[in-house]
Amino acid sequence: MSYRMAVDIGGTFTDLVICDGMGTIRIFKTPSTPDTLAKGVLDVLDLASMSYCKPLKELLSDCDIFVHGTTIAINAVIERKTAKTGLICTRGFRDILYFGGGEKPDTFNFKMAPPEPYIPRYLTLPVTERISSEGKVIVPLNEEEVRQALRKFREWGVQAIAVCLLWSPVNPTHEQRIARLIQQEWPEVPWSISSEVQPVIREWQRTLATVLDASVKPIVKKYFESLQQSLTDRGFKRVCHIVVASGGVMAARDAAERPVYTLVSGPATGPLAGCFLGQQLGINNLMTIDMGGTSFDVCLVRDGLVATTRRAKVSDLPLGISTVAVNSLGSGGGSIAWVDRGGLLHVGPKSAGAFPGPACYALGGEEPTVTDANVMLGYINQEYFLGGRIRIAPKLSERAIKEKIANLLKLGVVEAANGILSLVNQNMIGGMVDISIKEGIDPREFLLIAAGGACPVHAARLAQGLGMKQVLIPKVASAFCAFGMLTANLRFDHVATYFTDSSLFDCNGVNQTLASLKTMGQAKLDEAAIAPGNQRFVYYTDARYPFQAYEIEMQLRSSQVTDQMVPQLVQDFHAIHETRYGFRDVTQTVECINWKVVATGLVPKIILPEQPYGGIDSSRAYKGIRKAYFEELGGFVDTPLYDGEKLTHGNRIDGPAIIEEATTTIIIIPRSFVTVTRWGDYLMQVPTTHEKTYADSII
Amino acid sequence: MLQRKEKMLDPILLAVMGARMGAIVEEMTLSMMYTARSAILNVCRDFSCSLLTSDARLLSLYEGVPIHVTGAEYNIRPILEFFRGQIEPGDVFLNNCPYTGNTHHADYSLSAPVFYKGELLFWALCVGHQNDCGVHVPDTYCPYCKDIYEEGPHFPCIRIQRNYKNLEDIIRIFRMNIRYPDQWYGDYLAQVGALRCAERALVDFCDKYGVGLVKEFIEEWMNYSERKTKEMIRKFPRGTWYDEAHVDPTEFAPEGIPIRVKLTCDPDQGIITIDLTESADQAPNGLNCTESTAVGGAYCGVLPCLDPTIPINHGLYKCIKVVLREGCVAGIPKFPASTANATLAVPKRIAGSIFRIFAEIDASFGHSEGAQSSHASGTITGFDYRRGYRPYGHQLCLLAGGGPASMHYDGWPSWLGDISMGVMPIESVELHEARFPHLIKEIAVSCDSAGAGQWRSGLGGCLRLQPIKTGVTLACRMEGVMYPARGVMSGRNAIPNRSWIEDANTGGEKRDLAAQGPFHLDENEVWVTYVQGGGGFGIALDRNPELVRWDARNEYISLDAAKEVYGVVLKADTELYDVDYQATTSLREKLRKKMGE
């Protein structure tokens, strides 16, 4: 038997999805271990090994593909727990990070703090050197100044060094020389040079990418190395792959050298999972939401394409690389509810995480969380949370909500719990509005896919709040991103700058460039043991009319360009320019600036097994009654419970009702109902009566 | 009675449709930025797109240059007059004339009517600052022009496309009058492309919602803004406030030109009135406002003091009345007065005065002034040795001054004045050097350039530029020398702008430049220009000592300034310049006493 595995480390849980050769999917979850993340990965693998009744060594040695998504880099940036980083720049240009790109957002709002440069000015040290726009050395590098800068950095306890000099994409020799000086003078300090991180002109964006890269490198590198080592020690024979911002994957070794691409890692694959599930149902327009313990991620898929952006920001810093467009908020099951001095209730963004976790975990947490509110209202089974592996103590939920919320607001405990849930729902709806209504897209035309362990409890209310009529709760809801990783292909992008103009097209130079890029991509795929038949190469150029400041990425028709093909290339550019911008200018030549080869390693498609039709009757799965709170029914009512494991294709359950799964709980609100699809997913129809309530809050 | 329609305009739909309008203008903006040819448009984004109703009421705008968008309505109104009954689908009109509603001669305002099923429903507008507009000197702000006959050709709302096709004879006129005809034509296509992009999107919009619902939306969208604006103004106190600012001296006004702003707040009606009529008479040069920019300057002053979440459209504009006088420098120009500089010097002063008045009304609403114009946004022209000595011209945007400070907030950098508000991107040095034969030797923060206060302004800086192989001409006007950006609530003023020439080989200072060009610069000379910060907000001695420490550690302020201006004593031998709190407390006491005396 061969396996494919994907592990996603969230703020609260570490999820493992294993797909065997038959397409059968199994999910495992263990608490994340924030201090030693790799331990969390091993914990969840141990759990799987027990469940498969196979020693871990055997399980791992049968594993063909191991994909991993992590938020380690982004969390470090958000929480400012990055390495203390020094920046070396060209003399005279110490303030590239302060001046930024201009473009203050929100024009008429002056009450915004200006962005603090990512590297403080005192840790930004200029060195005398200058390269011209043609790549000529105008002022040679003053090596003594470099050494002085390094000594200062050392004295101040700097932990990583970024180097970004003007014109290094055209002539990287000064940056390379500085890298060698660092290796000589201070071999143990990690460094990044801009001509390697992002060899593209525009110094501000390149400097930002370089400082971000350097500042997370020590943490990321250490983690990836220890992870690969641990897996290898336990019998894994291949290279561990890491999810990167484009939704593709990279070898851990490569990702450790370029950690900026892992800043958007785990959440990037949620929409891929959504696409997969949408395709099964023949639905192309969907919104994926994923609520775990710490965060809530939302993304749109339109016409079957995952929304991507070049304007992704981390802590308000533009990344300058293309990423999956995921909107993340600090709302999760572990989000802590609190009352401010003015007597206003808040939920999040602080989370109780896995340790100590919500008060009801009885691990010492005293703060009331969203999960505690769900326990209070009878939504979560005390005996069966995470399949019974965590015992819930409702008394502790009650105490936390009473002491920290209800008493301060002079409310009953149930009212307070309901208030917490209404508020966290409203926050999440806000995040959904940002990527839909605020972009002029009406979410009522979209299918909502609700994933993440905590989401199915809230999904119906969220859909109702936006007037969305259908919600799909996948069987893999609780490990959605990990499932998405299994559907991701291996992908390696290689880019090089080589300028040529269509009037004097340099076929030789271009073809050499393309060939060397292809060789690099092919080497990566070979290394990942992708058979030649599953290797795909797609060739692109960034082209523009003379003096335009932005290029259009255009796919080439073949792997080479011959003299006879140049007129076709020009025609293609005119056509794509017209489609995109409404006009062409045939009097102009076309300039080609960058060349890119995307090397894709196809992984075998996952085919999920289908269930036979089992009729609408769901009574076989009925397992009893619990009191649960539904405001529209006037309070607590007897609510039927169903065992998710026993439901089959075609079964229908009308709300109010609760479906319990090992890793999640689905709340079916009154007047809605759920049917089971033939893949065992839950499709919920939601009544849309609450439009006005939501609408009042935005207008 | 409200009639029931097939689709009702519920609050969600209102928000969706309003946001869709914003998204269409954003698409126009991106299309323009991605396709335009001159750097002033595709890098510095000195253009603005907006959508208006069939009767020229502003409906939606994206983050364009504030002084452009506030005047959008003035651009379309004359077209409705001139072409009454003759406006057809496929038309494009061009207006650059100050006497037919435009901002100034160098902004080419292109507009297209948008029809749906034969009915005119919208106007799409794209105002773009041209790289060149055929003035006798290569300049687009020309403060020295005596009248409009020195400003280059004027096109008072002419048709340039009919039935989606160029009127080629008109195109030939432009190509003959403009210095870089190919580049201009590329920019023109990009502007038309943006209009067509809006047209397609608006037709889809009407297809989707139906024309009845769209019309209902338009009115409700404006009512919503008007309601929210009035609600806010009702919270202001009743009264009238004054502020007097000065434009820096000119040869005709050696003491400067007074700009007088009278602001009246009527909370009952929910109306704010800005009266500019007491300002100086019109000037015999290009500093005069056009009607569009006088009103624009006033809007630029008021909008940042209101609730920033109110959608900007005609509904909001209805709550701000601007009273102008004909023949006034901050009013309606009397033909044939020149208005070549109409978007810069005077409107910046109008806006800044209004910020300060609001601070007086309630400290939490107002702001200090942002940096005044410097030479760093001048136009540079020359010949490119790398391209066969082909002539080129470019409006610089490598460095822009500091922004205003507000209560609890320091100012932003890269501000470019209170009529652009930091929305314009700053040029990349690398992109600049790839395009133009210049060597940029320095762009850096200048120590102590921020107006001091409890909250300080954004920082100013220094630019050093050397032309390569051949000399260049700089056309520019520097403001803020005699009258730099002003602080408010006892915040300090900015340090005056300055500009000079150094010898490229020795670095020695050769000569100071006057406020107003054009100047010539040789290839062995380095042009240095200092760009000021804005004014400060509140008393400097009240600034949090930790913020002072951080500013000093990063050399944004000097140790001397930390001590003398902010009264903070620092231990400069520690890595982070720890604050000596004991010494600071006693020093601040002493300085406060001195201030009281």
Side-chain angles (χ1 to χ4, degrees):
Chain A
M1 186 66 95
S2 73
Y3 300 101
R4 284 154 71 177
M5 301 187 189
V7 175
D8 181 33
I9 300 190
T12 309
F13 289 108
T14 297
D15 302 336
L16 165 66
V17 174
I18 300 185
C19 176
D20 65 22
M22 314 297 293
T24 308
I25 301 275
R26 294 189 60 184
I27 298 171
F28 304 92
K29 268 176 125 61
T30 51
S32 291
T33 48
D35 299 327
T36 45
L37 290 170
K39 182 179 173 296
V41 177
L42 298 176
D43 284 351
V44 79
L45 284 169
D46 282 334
L47 185 68
S49 128
M50 279 190 289
S51 172
Y52 276 90
C53 297
K54 254 187 183 183
L56 184 54
K57 230 174 177 123
E58 211 175 297
L59 198 65
L60 275 176
S61 74
D62 287 344
C63 177
D64 288 339
I65 296 175
F66 188 97
V67 188
H68 178 42
T70 169
T71 48
I72 184 168
I74 194 166
N75 286 348
V77 173
I78 290 170
E79 295 168 18
R80 294 281 161 150
K81 287 180 181 163
T82 49
K84 185 172 180 180
T85 306
L87 168 63
I88 295 179
C89 66
T90 303
R91 183 166 298 284
F93 299 89
R94 197 180 173 194
D95 296 301
I96 287 171
L97 292 177
Y98 173 73
F99 290 125
E103 293 196 272
K104 176 188 167 292
D106 207 356
T107 311
F108 297 107
N109 182 6
F110 288 11
K111 301 213 158 177
M112 301 163 74
E116 184 80 8
Y118 189 70
I119 304 296
R121 192 172 196 244
Y122 91 96
L123 290 175
T124 305
L125 297 179
V127 294
T128 304
E129 68 86 38
R130 187 65 150 89
I131 285 163
S132 76
S133 58
E134 288 85 25
K136 278 204 304 242
V137 175
I138 310 179
V139 179
L141 176 67
N142 183 328
E143 301 194 356
E144 188 40 43
E145 287 180 5
V146 176
R147 290 197 185 90
Q148 276 170 18
L150 294 176
R151 278 197 289 277
K152 272 202 174 155
F153 286 156
R154 221 170 174 159
E155 186 189 319
W156 290 332
V158 159
Q159 296 157 318
I161 297 174
V163 184
C164 184
L165 305 180
L166 286 184
W167 288 113
S168 65
V170 178
N171 180 352
T173 51
H174 284 176
E175 282 192 359
Q176 287 165 351
R177 181 65 196 144
I178 293 174
R180 274 198 296 279
L181 289 171
I182 297 172
Q183 284 166 321
Q184 278 169 19
E185 303 275 318
W186 192 0
E188 63 277 17
V189 74
W191 49 267
S192 303
I193 62 174
S194 79
S195 47
E196 285 177 10
V197 175
Q198 204 188 10
V200 179
I201 68 165
R202 286 179 197 263
E203 65 281 358
W204 175 55
Q205 286 87 342
R206 193 172 70 249
T207 305
L208 259 182
T210 312
V211 294
L212 281 167
D213 197 73
S215 72
V216 295
K217 204 173 239 178
I219 305 165
V220 170
K221 202 168 176 171
K222 189 173 148 213
Y223 170 59
F224 287 169
E225 279 168 4
S226 79
L227 177 69
Q228 176 77 53
Q229 194 56 50
S230 314
L231 293 174
T232 309
D233 289 349
R234 285 163 183 77
F236 181 55
K237 297 185 189 117
R238 303 280 172 81
V239 175
C240 168
H241 283 96
I242 305 295
V243 179
V244 293
S246 60
V249 297
M250 251 185 180
R253 181 172 354 117
D254 297 323
E257 288 304 316
R258 242 356 108 246
V260 69
Y261 289 103
T262 69
L263 276 168
V264 184
S265 176
T269 54
L272 290 184
C275 278
F276 179 90
L277 298 167
Q279 267 166 21
Q280 278 189 338
L281 292 171
I283 293 175
N284 274 333
N285 287 322
L286 45 100
M287 183 191 283
T288 61
I289 54 174
D290 188 337
M291 181 186 185
T294 310
S295 64
F296 176 77
D297 298 321
V298 49
C299 183
L300 268 194
V301 176
R302 292 175 82 187
D303 302 324
L305 295 175
V306 178
T308 59
T309 175
R310 276 191 167 275
R311 293 194 268 174
K313 289 183 175 178
V314 172
S315 279
D316 285 332
L317 301 169
L319 278 181
I321 55 174
S322 174
T323 67
V324 170
V326 179
N327 189 13
S328 291
L329 311 176
S331 301
S335 292
I336 292 170
W338 50 286
V339 175
D340 69 19
R341 280 194 223 150
L344 198 66
L345 177 67
H346 300 265
V347 182
K350 236 183 123 197
S351 167
F355 298 107
C360 62
Y361 282 19
L363 294 172
E366 290 185 350
E367 304 298 329
T369 65
V370 171
T371 301
D372 290 307
N374 279 320
V375 168
M376 272 312 299
L377 297 186
Y379 297 151
I380 290 177
N381 186 343
Q382 310 160 17
E383 305 295 323
Y384 197 59
F385 193 63
L386 284 184
R389 278 186 303 106
I390 289 180
R391 287 294 284 262
I392 297 282
K395 281 267 170 287
L396 295 178
S397 291
E398 187 176 345
R399 196 176 77 190
I401 294 175
K402 191 168 181 331
E403 284 175 5
K404 306 261 166 138
I405 309 290
N407 288 352
L408 298 178
L409 296 177
K410 301 190 171 49
L411 287 175
V413 181
V414 172
E415 278 173 287
N418 196 39
I420 293 171
L421 293 188
S422 305
L423 186 59
V424 75
N425 287 346
Q426 198 55 46
N427 291 348
M428 292 190 282
I429 287 169
M432 294 158 75
V433 167
D434 279 344
I435 63 157
S436 57
I437 292 179
K438 289 210 175 141
E439 298 286 324
I441 297 164
D442 192 336
R444 288 176 289 192
E445 298 154 13
F446 283 61
L447 168 71
L448 183 65
I449 299 191
C455 211
V457 178
H458 300 259
R461 297 289 182 207
L462 299 181
Q464 208 175 26
L466 276 172
M468 299 173 81
K469 296 171 197 72
Q470 281 197 323
V471 186
L472 183 77
I473 297 150
K475 201 78 178 165
V476 293
S478 70
F480 194 58
C481 282
F483 176 73
M485 287 171 204
L486 285 185
T487 69
N489 287 318
L490 263 63
R491 174 174 166 155
F492 299 94
D493 296 8
H494 289 98
V495 192
T497 299
Y498 190 85
F499 181 91
T500 188
D501 184 289
S502 61
S503 59
L504 286 162
F505 198 88
D506 177 4
C507 289
N508 268 339
V510 165
N511 290 333
Q512 274 171 24
T513 307
L514 288 172
S516 80
L517 293 172
K518 188 207 165 182
T519 311
M520 287 190 248
Q522 197 167 18
K524 292 287 177 205
L525 293 179
D526 289 344
E527 203 175 274
I530 300 292
N534 287 328
Q535 299 187 355
R536 300 278 183 280
F537 300 92
V538 186
Y539 301 79
Y540 298 88
T541 183
D542 290 336
R544 66 181 184 207
Y545 290 128
F547 290 102
Q548 285 184 330
Y550 297 86
E551 295 84 34
I552 295 182
E553 185 178 274
M554 180 169 82
Q555 192 178 332
L556 300 176
R557 288 171 180 257
S558 62
S559 61
Q560 288 199 325
V561 185
T562 61
D563 285 331
Q564 292 75 35
M565 289 154 79
V566 175
Q568 182 66 55
L569 188 141
V570 171
Q571 279 311 310
D572 287 348
F573 179 80
H574 289 318
I576 196 169
H577 195 277
E578 181 159 24
T579 321
R580 194 164 302 179
Y581 301 119
F583 69 94
R584 58 173 75 201
D585 190 353
V586 292
T587 65
Q588 297 291 310
T589 59
V590 175
E591 296 177 345
C592 297
I593 320 293
N594 297 318
W595 304 85
K596 177 165 99 174
V597 177
V598 174
T600 305
L602 302 182
V603 298
K605 273 231 154 58
I606 292 179
I607 296 166
L608 296 177
E610 295 183 14
Q611 302 175 349
Y613 183 70
I616 61 164
D617 180 21
S618 54
S619 58
R620 211 170 59 87
Y622 178 78
K623 63 181 214 186
I625 276 193
R626 182 162 76 231
K627 293 265 186 217
Y629 183 89
F630 294 98
E631 207 172 1
E632 57 267 67
L633 301 179
F636 282 97
V637 294
D638 286 340
T639 307
L641 304 175
Y642 292 86
D643 182 354
E645 298 294 318
K646 293 185 180 151
L647 289 168
T648 53
H649 176 203
N651 288 180
R652 171 175 164 145
I653 299 173
D654 286 272
I658 298 174
I659 301 173
E660 293 183 342
E661 289 260 340
T663 50
T664 188
T665 305
I666 298 137
I667 301 297
I668 310 170
I669 59 173
R671 299 206 305 116
S672 64
F673 67 91
V674 155
T675 45
V676 182
T677 70
R678 65 195 134 115
W679 299 280
D681 301 329
Y682 304 112
L683 193 59
M684 191 191 299
Q685 311 293 328
V686 184
T688 52
T689 50
H690 277 56
E691 280 176 30
K692 276 260 161 61
T693 330
Y694 162 68
D696 293 344
S697 72
I698 53 166
I699 296 293
Chain B
M1 284 299 286
L2 198 69
Q3 282 224 312
R4 288 222 157 243
K5 299 201 172 56
E6 282 181 14
K7 230 177 184 174
M8 283 286 292
L9 186 68
D10 60 50
I12 287 198
L13 203 53
L14 179 67
V16 168
M17 292 171 85
R20 181 68 195 130
M21 288 290 116
I24 292 173
V25 187
E26 185 178 0
E27 276 169 45
M28 293 172 75
T29 304
L30 292 176
S31 164
M32 176 75 186
M33 186 166 79
Y34 289 148
T35 60
R37 300 294 172 74
S38 29
I40 188 173
L41 298 173
N42 63 24
V43 177
C44 308
R45 228 176 73 188
D46 194 348
F47 68 89
S48 306
C49 298
S50 49
L51 297 176
L52 298 93
T53 58
S54 57
D55 57 349
R57 287 176 296 154
L58 181 72
L59 182 58
S60 185
L61 52 85
Y62 180 66
E63 298 181 338
V65 184
I67 193 71
H68 286 170
V69 283
T70 47
E73 298 186 348
Y74 288 88
N75 246 305
I76 304 299
R77 282 182 209 153
I79 298 175
L80 292 172
E81 294 274 315
F82 294 146
F83 295 89
R84 191 182 296 274
Q86 303 162 47
I87 297 165
E88 307 266 349
D91 284 345
V92 171
F93 300 93
L94 187 150
N95 183 25
N96 81 323
C97 175
Y99 291 91
T100 55
N102 198 41
T103 39
H104 74 146
H105 67 144
D107 285 335
Y108 281 11
S109 298
L110 270 71
S111 57
V114 179
F115 287 78
Y116 185 72
K117 297 191 172 154
E119 183 185 3
L120 175 62
L121 281 184
F122 301 99
W123 285 88
L125 173 70
C126 176
V127 181
H129 189 118
Q130 303 299 301
N131 201 23
D132 186 79
C133 58
V135 186
H136 61 287
V137 288
D139 186 1
T140 54
Y141 286 112
C142 332
Y144 40 77
C145 286
K146 286 187 208 59
D147 52 39
I148 71 160
Y149 306 113
E150 293 189 355
E151 291 182 356
H154 288 83
F155 304 96
C157 303
I158 58 159
R159 188 186 264 129
I160 193 164
Q161 278 203 348
R162 189 196 285 279
N163 200 19
Y164 301 96
K165 287 203 175 69
N166 283 339
L167 298 174
E168 294 297 342
D169 45 353
I170 306 285
I171 300 287
R172 276 199 299 281
I173 298 176
F174 284 90
R175 294 193 70 111
M176 184 52 69
N177 276 281
I178 289 168
R179 282 186 178 75
Y180 321 105
D182 284 349
Q183 211 175 53
W184 168 78
Y185 187 67
D187 287 340
Y188 160 78
L189 287 179
Q191 281 190 278
V192 174
L195 301 178
R196 295 302 178 216
C197 157
E199 185 178 2
R200 278 195 307 270
L202 287 168
V203 168
D204 285 350
F205 182 75
C206 294
D207 275 342
K208 179 161 182 170
Y209 293 106
V211 78
L213 191 65
V214 166
K215 285 181 178 170
E216 197 185 329
F217 154 74
I218 290 172
E219 299 312 317
E220 186 47 31
W221 188 237
M222 299 204 185
N223 288 339
Y224 168 64
S225 284
E226 189 180 344
R227 271 200 311 274
K228 283 205 58 157
T229 312
K230 288 209 145 81
E231 213 172 274
M232 171 133 197
I233 295 174
R234 286 203 181 100
K235 292 181 195 148
F236 291 142
R238 174 189 313 281
T240 300
W241 291 264
Y242 299 87
D243 190 67
E244 182 177 275
H246 285 86
V247 172
D248 271 19
T250 71
E251 88 183 270
F252 306 100
E255 296 304 313
I257 304 171
I259 305 296
R260 297 189 186 95
V261 178
K262 182 168 106 185
L263 185 150
T264 305
C265 181
D266 178 350
D268 297 340
Q269 298 297 313
I271 300 250
I272 285 174
T273 306
I274 308 285
D275 184 336
L276 301 173
T277 54
E278 289 165 38
S279 303
D281 286 343
Q282 85 184 22
N285 57 33
L287 293 176
N288 299 303
C289 278
T290 55
E291 184 176 4
S292 165
T293 62
V295 173
Y299 285 173
C300 284
V302 176
L303 292 180
C305 305
L306 299 179
D307 172 2
T309 65
I310 302 171
I312 292 166
N313 59 40
H314 186 78
L316 187 160
Y317 287 3
K318 276 163 80 178
C319 309
I320 306 168
K321 289 226 163 81
V322 185
V323 186
L324 303 177
R325 167 171 71 90
E326 206 186 355
C328 170
V329 70
I332 303 163
K334 225 184 262 171
F335 191 83
S338 170
T339 59
N341 198 270
T343 54
L344 291 181
V346 177
K348 281 187 188 178
R349 303 287 178 177
I350 298 172
S353 277
I354 296 174
F355 295 168
R356 297 176 83 246
I357 288 175
F358 270 99
E360 215 179 296
I361 296 176
D362 182 329
S364 69
F365 293 133
H367 319 281
S368 63
E369 288 182 340
Q372 301 298 337
S373 305
S374 74
H375 279 175
S377 20
T379 299
I380 192 164
T381 47
F383 301 90
D384 188 347
Y385 74 97
R386 295 175 297 190
R387 296 177 172 92
Y389 291 91
R390 188 168 65 186
Y392 68 88
H394 171 57
Q395 191 196 328
L396 295 164
C397 195
L398 286 158
L399 172 65
S406 320
M407 187 185 252
H408 302 303
Y409 296 96
D410 286 345
W412 282 62
S414 306
W415 188 252
L416 205 68
D418 296 333
I419 48 86
S420 16
M421 306 181 186
V423 303
M424 288 160 76
I426 294 298
E427 279 183 81
S428 143
V429 170
E430 289 171 344
L431 222 49
H432 182 95
E433 290 185 347
R435 284 184 174 210
F436 307 110
H438 308 150
L439 178 67
I440 313 292
K441 300 198 130 177
E442 179 180 31
I443 296 180
V445 160
S446 291
C447 193
D448 295 330
S449 56
Q454 187 176 5
W455 290 284
R456 62 153 171 82
S457 74
L459 292 148
C462 227
L463 163 68
R464 284 186 154 73
L465 181 149
Q466 183 186 355
I468 304 177
K469 288 270 182 15
T470 57
V472 292
T473 301
L474 286 164
C476 44
R477 176 180 161 83
M478 173 162 65
E479 276 281 319
V481 181
M482 188 184 269
Y483 301 103
R486 292 176 296 168
V488 70
M489 312 298 289
S490 308
R492 299 205 182 186
N493 293 351
I495 292 168
N497 280 324
R498 202 191 147 208
S499 202
W500 67 97
I501 301 288
E502 287 174 358
D503 187 295
N505 302 314
T506 64
E509 219 167 288
K510 288 175 74 174
R511 62 182 189 276
D512 251 320
L513 293 177
Q516 198 164 298
F519 309 105
H520 184 77
L521 181 62
D522 283 335
E523 72 268 25
N524 54 8
E525 291 181 323
V526 177
W527 167 55
V528 192
T529 193
Y530 163 76
V531 182
Q532 65 189 203
F537 188 109
I539 301 165
L541 292 176
D542 290 340
R543 186 167 175 83
N544 181 339
E546 291 300 325
L547 296 179
V548 176
R549 173 188 68 77
W550 192 234
D551 277 351
R553 182 62 193 97
N554 289 310
E555 298 165 70
Y556 293 152
I557 62 171
S558 59
L559 284 166
D560 285 349
K563 204 164 171 178
E564 284 152 26
V565 180
Y566 291 98
V568 175
V569 183
L570 299 169
K571 299 172 186 160
D573 53 347
T574 56
E575 182 191 337
L576 294 170
Y577 287 15
D578 302 340
V579 179
D580 182 339
Y581 274 97
Q582 213 172 357
T584 298
T585 312
S586 62
L587 177 62
R588 282 192 158 182
E589 246 165 60
K590 210 168 82 192
L591 290 171
R592 274 202 193 91
K593 253 186 216 149
K594 214 166 124 193
M595 221 171 67
E597 279 161 15

